[in-house]
Amino acid sequence: MVSLEFDLNTDSEADAFFGAFFKFVETAAVNDADSIALRSDPAGDHQVKVVTFEDKDQADQFQSYWSQRRKWLGL
């Protein structure tokens, strides 16, 4: 299991993250629905999203996808 933390500072960034997360899950070749988990940890005035993946490859793919998505959206 690999967990990644994403610090989301604005509501628009949080909305974009959820969209990217669900799009990734929808399009990824995930055979087991329980292989990816998402949780929120409040951190003062912003949110930290923690995504747990079954393997490192999935984690790397999502991290790359989210980085590209943030650049594309100008976040």
Side-chain angles (χ1 to χ4, degrees), residues 1-38:
M1 302 296 271
V2 177
S3 293
L4 301 176
E5 291 185 8
F6 300 92
D7 192 2
L8 308 174
N9 295 310
T10 65
D11 288 341
S12 60
E13 189 176 21
D15 289 344
F17 180 84
F18 277 119
F21 175 77
F22 289 113
K23 183 74 169 172
F24 178 82
V25 171
E26 181 179 72
T27 59
V30 178
N31 296 326
D32 184 0
D34 295 329
S35 66
I36 300 175
L38 174 67

Side-chain angles (χ1 to χ4, degrees), residues 18 38-43 47-50:
F18 277 119
L38 174 67
R39 77 172 198 272
S40 297
D41 290 335
Q47 292 263 341
V48 174
K49 302 296 182 197
V50 180

Side-chain angles (χ1 to χ4, degrees), residues 48-59:
V48 174
K49 302 296 182 197
V50 180
V51 184
T52 304
F53 298 89
E54 187 172 293
D55 62 49
K56 187 174 179 346
D57 289 340
Q58 283 179 337

